[in-house]
Every structure is written in C-alpha cells, then in structure tokens.
Amino acid sequence: MPVFRGPRRWLWRWRRNPLRRRADVVEGWVLVGVWLLTLLAGTVAGSMAARTVERDLARERAATRPMVAYVVAHAPGRSGARGPAGERVWTEVRWTAPDGALRTGQVRVRPGAATGAPVAIWTDGHGRLANRPATPAEATVRAAFIGTLAATAAAVVPLAAGRRLLARLERHRLSLWDAEWSRLGPQWGRKTG
C-alpha cells in the first residue's frame, strides 16, 4: 500500500521548520560527510592505483627488449597442420645475450617450426627470457581497470561505515520517539467534556 509522503524538498534538514529535530540536522551532516569521504577515498585510491600500475608497466617496458632467437631442434607437430588458430608448442631456442653469451630457453612457437627458424622473444637487461611487456594501450586499459577496482574498494569503506552510523542514528531517534510517546500517549486517551 503506497504511503503519501508529499513533495520532496531539497535540503529539508537545514530549513527552518518547527518539526525539525536536532537528530535530523545531525543525520543530514552525516550524509554529507559520508558522501564526501566516499568520493574522496574512491578518487584518491583509484588515481593512485592507476598511476602505480602505469608506472610499473612503463618500467617493465623499458627493462625488456625484443630479440631474435633461433629454433634449436625441430618443433613438435606438423608444419601447416590444421589445428586451432594460434596454436603454439613449446620448443628450445637459442639467442645471443647483450654480453655476447649464448643463451637457450623454452618458448612457444608454431607447430613444426624448422631448426634454425627465427622466433621473436623478449629479454631482460641481463639477456634472460622475459614476458612480452604490455603495450602503452594495454597498460592504459589495465591501469583504468585496476584503478576502478581500487576506487570501488576504497569507496565501500566510508559508505558502509556511514550506513552503519545512519542506522544507529535511526535507532536512537526511534527510541526517543518511543520515550516521548510513552510520556504523551496516555494523555490522548482521555475524553474531554
């Protein structure tokens, strides 16, 4: 059954009104504080997380370099075999590190890659195998995603605390109403006349 509440008034907690109680004003200020803290916490945590992720991925990009390695032994599988698109198999490859030392490692290549076939790899500053770094576009997407997650997680804390505080204020206000009603309620039952 719908309850008629009347027209909604903006900022009603701060308007002069004979029915306005101190608890209404306190609740209004708590709401304002909770929303400000929620926005501030979310914004700060999200932007800090996004900047950190972008900086770390840029550092990773700067620390790795592409190199060409060569297949040491014929890769398993048949060359030109029909299989899932992008299928790769592990095989051993060899490359020359920046210090001139020959290095070997396991990487994924097309099935049936011949001995001596060139393969693009990524290495760190010491010539060891490294994962392909994120491109600037991928880094931006990752940073935005992680920043959004961090902002949401940080904003939940003041929002949940505010909801809990508002629930306590509501219980307090209801207990005040009960006390007032128990004092004034019996007077309403008397007949005049």
Side-chain angles (χ1 to χ4, degrees), residues 127-153:
R128 295 181 299 237
L129 278 176
N131 291 327
R132 180 185 70 86
T135 65
E138 290 171 341
T140 300
V141 170
R142 284 185 197 174
F145 180 70
I146 291 173
T148 302
L149 286 177
T152 303

Side-chain angles (χ1 to χ4, degrees), residues 31-149:
L31 275 172
V32 168
V34 165
W35 280 110
L36 287 176
L37 279 174
T38 299
L39 288 173
L40 182 68
T43 302
V44 168
S47 63
M48 285 177 58
R51 271 185 284 173
T52 301
V53 168
E54 286 228 42
R55 186 183 62 238
D56 289 348
L57 291 176
R59 192 177 297 146
E60 180 182 306
R61 249 190 328 275
T64 57
R65 58 183 56 95
M67 296 195 75
V68 176
Y70 299 96
V71 176
V72 173
H74 187 76
R78 287 190 347 225
S79 180
R82 300 252 181 222
E87 178 183 3
R88 301 281 183 169
V89 295
W90 289 99
T91 192
E92 190 171 347
V93 295
R94 180 175 294 137
W95 69 95
T96 304
D99 63 0
L102 281 178
R103 303 273 172 111
T104 59
Q106 295 280 324
V107 297
R108 296 178 69 114
V109 298
R110 290 184 327 274
T115 302
V119 178
I121 61 169
W122 288 88
T123 60
D124 63 11
H126 302 289
R128 295 181 299 237
L129 278 176
N131 291 327
R132 180 185 70 86
T135 65
E138 290 171 341
T140 300
V141 170
R142 284 185 197 174
F145 180 70
I146 291 173
T148 302
L149 286 177

